[in-house]
Amino acid sequence: MMRIAVVDYGMGNLRSVARALNRVAPEAEVEVTDCPERLHAAHRIVFPGQGALPDCMRRLHERHLLGVVRELAQTRPFLGICLGLQVLFEHSEEGEVAGLGLLTGKVRRFPADRFGPQGERLKVPHMGWNEVHATREHFLWRGLAPDSRFYFVHSYYVQELDETECAATTTYGFPFTSAVIRDNLCAVQFHPEKSASAGLTLLSNFVHWAP
């Protein structure tokens, strides 16, 4: 039986993610856990997140999960969600904290002086439905219409990343990276578990992806 572990570091909508995974993979065992042994026993890892990156890094440290997550992100099919994307990078302006450093790039706050196509000032956080434009072909996008809409809630975005690892962009005043993929590792800035049928399709693709 396939085992999917949702990393429990005391933050994020862990149960919602687990329920969505159970829906798209009823044949799998989905477990929310912070146990290193259970995480190592899983075939796939999902790292969801909501909240602030400094709190995320602190809680990973308190639960002795920093090394575990770094290792699994390099050895298992791994999906980061929202904060689970930002934590993969080197540094964040949010609290001026270092991330896991698995991907090159920095996390910056959306500037206040951004305007939409009608001249309206755009609010921070970026919250609500927006289009995700895939920039490369990948199994993760299988069955999704071009520029499918997903649900976002975030005030920070990734900058100065390796462009070869960018897998999708979204426009909110300017284009920003909304998905990254490298080898066994993928991460999205949006919340697939809150994104109706498109989100369930993406989660199903991750479950059946063979990197």
Side-chain angles (χ1 to χ4, degrees):
M1 177 184 292
M2 177 185 291
R3 292 190 291 272
I4 306 171
V6 179
V7 181
D8 179 5
Y9 57 103
M11 293 176 62
N13 51 334
L14 307 174
R15 304 299 169 184
S16 295
V17 172
R19 285 195 296 270
L21 288 166
N22 275 314
R23 182 171 176 182
V24 301
E27 74 286 355
E29 175 188 340
V30 179
E31 181 180 15
V32 178
T33 181
D34 65 354
C35 173
E37 291 78 15
R38 297 298 298 166
L39 290 167
H40 279 291
H43 301 103
R44 294 172 189 272
I45 303 294
V46 179
F47 190 103
Q50 289 179 325
L53 191 56
D55 293 335
C56 170
M57 295 301 294
R58 176 176 54 82
R59 294 193 182 198
L60 287 173
H61 176 74
E62 290 172 350
R63 298 189 181 205
H64 307 289
L65 290 175
L66 285 170
V68 175
V69 172
R70 281 195 182 99
E71 178 186 348
L72 294 175
Q74 298 174 83
T75 59
R76 302 282 195 285
F78 183 101
L79 174 63
I81 296 174
C82 194
L83 192 63
L85 176 145
Q86 296 175 10
V87 74
L88 300 173
F89 289 86
E90 298 168 306
H91 184 269
S92 176
E93 286 185 346
E94 188 176 19
E96 298 298 336
V97 66
L100 294 175
L102 292 167
L103 298 175
T104 300
K106 295 179 172 58
V107 179
R108 302 196 185 281
R109 184 175 173 84
F110 279 119
D113 57 344
R114 290 167 308 106
F115 298 89
Q118 307 303 319
E120 71 278 16
R121 185 180 292 275
L122 298 175
K123 297 179 180 179
V124 179
H126 170 214
M127 182 181 299
W129 295 84
N130 206 340
E131 294 180 353
V132 172
H133 173 68
T135 57
R136 55 187 272 201
E137 292 186 4
H138 194 273
F139 192 84
L140 201 65
W141 311 125
R142 187 184 66 162
L144 288 168
D147 300 328
S148 291
R149 294 173 66 83
F150 292 85
Y151 190 81
F152 290 81
V153 183
H154 64 120
S155 299
Y156 292 79
Y157 69 102
V158 176
Q159 197 177 57
E160 301 175 28
L161 72 161
D162 182 340
E163 292 301 326
T164 66
E165 296 171 350
C166 176
T169 61
T170 294
T171 298
Y172 193 62
F174 53 82
F176 67 89
T177 295
S178 52
V180 294
I181 297 173
R182 186 183 71 189
D183 301 327
N184 62 291
L185 172 67
C186 58
V188 296
Q189 183 62 72
F190 49 85
H191 286 275
E193 78 281 4
K194 297 181 179 181
S195 298
S197 61
L200 293 176
T201 296
L202 185 141
L203 290 174
S204 177
N205 289 345
F206 170 72
V207 168
H208 295 98
W209 173 40

